[in-house]
């Protein structure tokens, strides 16, 4: 035969509350310790169970003369439920305010995207510069054994293009950092926006390591 399972803490709390509700009387702790076993709550655990009910405002406790009395009128449970209700209501209102703030920030972010002509132009110019850089690099390879003056002029042009490309790249990184600092809650939306306009994780500054050789 399997051993009978003992009561959980919540079950013990319900059993002890039944004692209060059934009699609507005042009790000393020692009286409750005698009544507890009749409800399946062993004497040794009655004190802790009752104290947990006191902590949750389900049982009232007060010292009268030299004795400490405990009782639980229906209003105790009602007050406890009302406290829970008002706390939940407060949480709901806070969540609504937070939602409204996020909606405002989202709308502000959308407005910023509508006025993105400058960013689109910067990306377009950057792409053109990169294409020109690659063209010049290929052309420089063809003239590697030809006129040194032409080679130097070509290298200077590439340096100018490289500086311009990195300047636009720096502008894009600065813009991304500004957006991250001012709209931290919209990180996911920003990442989608970057992907939509062609700014990927591969974007980086151009290197000039091959120009001096």
């Amino acid at each position: 035969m399997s051993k009978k399972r003992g009561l959980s803490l919540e079950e013990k709390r319900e059993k002890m509350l039944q004692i209060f509700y059934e009699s609507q009387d005042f009790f000393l702790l020692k009286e409750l310790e005698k009544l507890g076993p009749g409800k399946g709550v062993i004497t040794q655990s009655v004190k802790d169970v009752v104290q947990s009910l006191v902590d949750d405002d389900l049982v009232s406790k007060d010292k009268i003369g030299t004795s400490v009395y405990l009782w639980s009128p229906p209003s105790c449970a009602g007050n406890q439920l009302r406290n829970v209700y008002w706390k939940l209501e407060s949480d709901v209102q806070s969540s609504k305010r937070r939602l409204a703030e996020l909606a405002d920030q989202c709308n502000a972010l959308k407005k910023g995207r509508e006025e993105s002509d400058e960013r689109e132009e910067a990306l377009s110019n950057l792409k053109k510069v990169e294409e020109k850089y690659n063209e010049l690099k290929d052309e420089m390879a063809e003239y590697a054994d030809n006129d040194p003056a032409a080679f130097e002029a070509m290298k200077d042009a590439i340096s100018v293009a490289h500086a311009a490309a990195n300047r636009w790249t720096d502008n894009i990184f600065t813009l991304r950092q500004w957006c991250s600092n001012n709209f931290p809650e919209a990180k996911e939306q920003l990442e989608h926006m970057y992907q939509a306009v062609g700014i990927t994780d591969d974007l980086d500054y151009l290197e000039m390591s091959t120009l001096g050789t």
Side-chain angles (χ1 to χ4, degrees), residues 164-175:
N166 282 342
R167 185 166 59 253
W168 282 113
T169 301
D170 191 61
N171 290 339
I172 291 172
F173 285 159
T174 300
L175 178 61

Side-chain angles (χ1 to χ4, degrees), residues 25-47:
D25 203 353
F26 293 80
F27 296 95
L28 296 172
L29 179 59
K30 63 182 180 180
E31 293 174 334
L32 293 172
E33 289 175 338
K34 292 179 181 180
L35 295 171
K39 292 291 187 179
V41 183
I42 62 174
T43 301
Q44 292 85 345
S45 64
V46 168
K47 180 178 180 180

Side-chain angles (χ1 to χ4, degrees), residues 121-159:
E121 182 180 358
L123 289 171
S124 177
N125 289 337
L126 177 60
K127 185 175 181 180
K128 291 177 181 178
V129 169
E130 290 176 342
E131 291 174 352
K132 186 63 176 178
Y133 168 75
N134 290 328
E135 290 176 4
L136 291 175
K137 185 170 65 173
D138 294 340
E139 187 176 352
M140 185 177 65
E142 294 178 4
Y143 289 96
D145 298 327
N146 295 332
D147 185 8
F151 174 79
E152 288 299 323
M154 197 178 303
K155 188 166 69 172
D156 291 341
I158 292 175
S159 296

Side-chain angles (χ1 to χ4, degrees), residues 15-204:
K15 296 294 185 180
M16 294 306 299
L17 278 175
Q18 287 177 10
I19 296 175
F20 288 103
Y21 294 161
E22 289 170 357
S23 67
Q24 292 294 305
D25 203 353
F26 293 80
F27 296 95
L28 296 172
L29 179 59
K30 63 182 180 180
E31 293 174 334
L32 293 172
E33 289 175 338
K34 292 179 181 180
L35 295 171
K39 292 291 187 179
V41 183
I42 62 174
T43 301
Q44 292 85 345
S45 64
V46 168
K47 180 178 180 180
D48 292 337
V49 173
V50 171
Q51 185 58 50
S52 73
L53 295 172
V54 173
D55 294 339
D56 289 343
D57 294 328
L58 291 173
V59 170
S60 297
K61 177 181 179 181
D62 201 2
K63 186 174 182 180
I64 302 176
T66 59
S67 301
V68 176
Y69 288 89
L70 300 126
W71 69 96
S72 181
S75 60
C76 284
N79 288 336
Q80 200 264 355
L81 290 175
R82 279 191 291 273
N83 290 337
V84 171
Y85 170 79
W86 288 118
K87 182 181 185 303
L88 292 175
E89 181 68 17
S90 177
D91 292 342
V92 168
Q93 294 303 321
S94 296
S95 298
K96 287 182 178 179
R97 287 193 295 270
R98 182 57 178 161
L99 179 61
E101 291 175 0
L102 291 176
D104 290 341
Q105 292 177 3
C106 183
N107 291 333
L109 183 60
K110 288 180 180 179
K111 291 180 181 179
R113 289 183 61 184
E114 292 171 358
E115 301 172 1
S116 60
D117 292 344
E118 293 183 0
R119 291 197 298 275
E120 291 179 2
E121 182 180 358
L123 289 171
S124 177
N125 289 337
L126 177 60
K127 185 175 181 180
K128 291 177 181 178
V129 169
E130 290 176 342
E131 291 174 352
K132 186 63 176 178
Y133 168 75
N134 290 328
E135 290 176 4
L136 291 175
K137 185 170 65 173
D138 294 340
E139 187 176 352
M140 185 177 65
E142 294 178 4
Y143 289 96
D145 298 327
N146 295 332
D147 185 8
F151 174 79
E152 288 299 323
M154 197 178 303
K155 188 166 69 172
D156 291 341
I158 292 175
S159 296
V160 172
H162 169 264
N166 282 342
R167 185 166 59 253
W168 282 113
T169 301
D170 191 61
N171 290 339
I172 291 172
F173 285 159
T174 300
L175 178 61
R176 290 184 66 173
Q177 185 62 47
W178 183 88
C179 289
S180 297
N181 292 340
N182 287 275
F183 305 102
E185 302 87 353
K187 180 179 179 181
E188 184 176 351
Q189 293 95 322
L190 288 171
E191 290 300 329
H192 285 313
M193 182 186 73
Y194 299 148
Q195 293 292 332
V197 299
I199 301 176
T200 66
D201 293 334
D202 296 333
L203 180 65
D204 201 354

